[in-house]
Amino acid sequence: MSKPTNLLLDQLSAADREALLATAIRVPLILGDDLIQPGQMIHAVHFPLSGIISTVNEMADGRSVEAFMVGREGVAGIEATVIPMRSASRQTIQVTGEALKVDAGRVRALADDRPGLRRMLALYHAGVQRELEQTAACHALHPAERRLAKWLLRCHDRSDSDVMQLTQEYMAAMLGSQRTTVNEAARMLQANGAVAYARGKVRVISRPALEASACECYRKVTALRSGGQSEAA
């Protein structure tokens, strides 16, 4: 198997990476598909090579909000690398790409015998927990425009293009906001020269302008993730 471009896998020693990927299969990530639904057992973990996987929490009234997203920097299904686990959320494909799929039981067995792999997974899991804590505060305290700018930056970090296929309805669902609220926030970002939006596509015009519009949570989460990677190195 060719060398992975997943940044988390690239932190492993060659021996640990080879053992982990010995039975991995390369699978497509198709926009709109679900990897897993709430209540289902997590039988496999996915290391994205490209594309974005979103973990989405859904309420009884049909509303939803994104808890976190995973691109080539991480792994989807991290909770099942410790013990067998059912998913509390929906994992859905936000941006088309590819991933390396590995049986969750095999990951657990390898982590028991390989301290380097176990430590890498633990550090990543801790980083996700920190991000969830920051996101909870962000949703409670920050206005829609700043949260949308942060979310678009996170998408842009994980995309291979300045153009992203994102409808206002989808962005509203991911942010847990009304579509009218997201529409107004998007207009403000366009007025600031940060993005252009048309026909369900967002184009990043000025990355610095988008960063200036984002709340502090984007920089905090980025710093937390960077810190975890340096610890794992």
Side-chain angles (χ1 to χ4, degrees):
M1 181 172 295
S2 60
K3 179 178 170 61
T5 57
N6 178 280
L7 301 181
L8 198 62
L9 293 177
D10 286 347
Q11 294 179 31
L12 293 172
S13 68
D16 284 348
R17 185 166 56 246
E18 182 178 352
L20 182 63
L21 298 182
T23 60
I25 58 175
R26 189 181 295 253
V27 296
L29 302 177
I30 300 173
L31 178 66
D33 280 2
D34 290 336
L35 290 181
I36 196 165
Q37 298 182 13
Q40 291 182 334
M41 288 296 298
I42 305 174
H43 294 297
V45 299
H46 292 77
F47 295 88
L49 305 176
S50 59
I52 299 175
I53 300 170
S54 290
T55 295
V56 181
N57 290 343
E58 299 170 332
M59 302 295 108
D61 62 5
R63 291 182 297 171
S64 64
V65 64
E66 182 187 76
F68 62 96
M69 67 175 70
V70 177
R72 63 170 59 94
E73 84 294 340
V75 56
I78 181 66
E79 59 270 41
T81 64
V82 180
I83 58 173
M85 186 78 68
R86 293 185 184 274
S87 179
S89 308
R90 182 183 302 275
Q91 290 180 8
T92 189
I93 308 306
Q94 177 182 309
V95 174
T96 296
E98 283 189 313
L100 294 172
K101 179 180 178 181
V102 186
D103 179 78
R106 176 173 175 77
V107 176
R108 291 193 296 270
L110 287 171
D112 285 342
D113 295 331
R114 294 177 176 269
L117 173 60
R118 184 167 62 249
R119 185 168 185 269
M120 181 272 284
L121 292 171
L123 285 169
Y124 181 77
H125 201 174
V128 170
Q129 179 60 39
R130 292 168 183 166
E131 182 173 339
L132 290 172
E133 293 167 0
Q134 190 68 34
T135 297
C138 183
H139 283 305
L141 300 175
H142 292 152
E145 178 195 354
R146 292 196 174 276
R147 290 193 292 117
L148 177 59
K150 177 201 73 173
W151 188 79
L152 290 174
L153 282 168
R154 295 175 71 232
C155 292
H156 192 230
D157 287 342
R158 295 162 173 82
S159 298
D160 296 321
S161 171
D162 289 335
V163 179
M164 299 173 286
Q165 186 174 338
L166 300 167
T167 66
Q168 288 186 354
E169 182 179 10
Y170 185 82
M171 289 188 286
M174 293 299 99
L175 293 172
S177 300
Q178 296 292 326
R179 184 174 176 178
T180 52
T181 302
V182 170
N183 182 45
E184 178 61 27
R187 278 205 299 262
M188 294 176 70
L189 292 177
Q190 287 187 90
N192 292 341
V195 302
Y197 180 83
R199 299 177 182 176
K201 293 182 179 180
V202 176
R203 178 187 292 274
V204 176
I205 301 299
S206 171
R207 174 84 186 197
L210 193 58
E211 290 181 358
S213 298
C215 61
E216 66 195 81
C217 298
Y218 172 72
R219 289 173 289 279
K220 282 189 175 182
V221 169
T222 300
L224 286 173
R225 286 298 180 89
S226 298
Q229 289 177 355
S230 64
E231 285 182 57

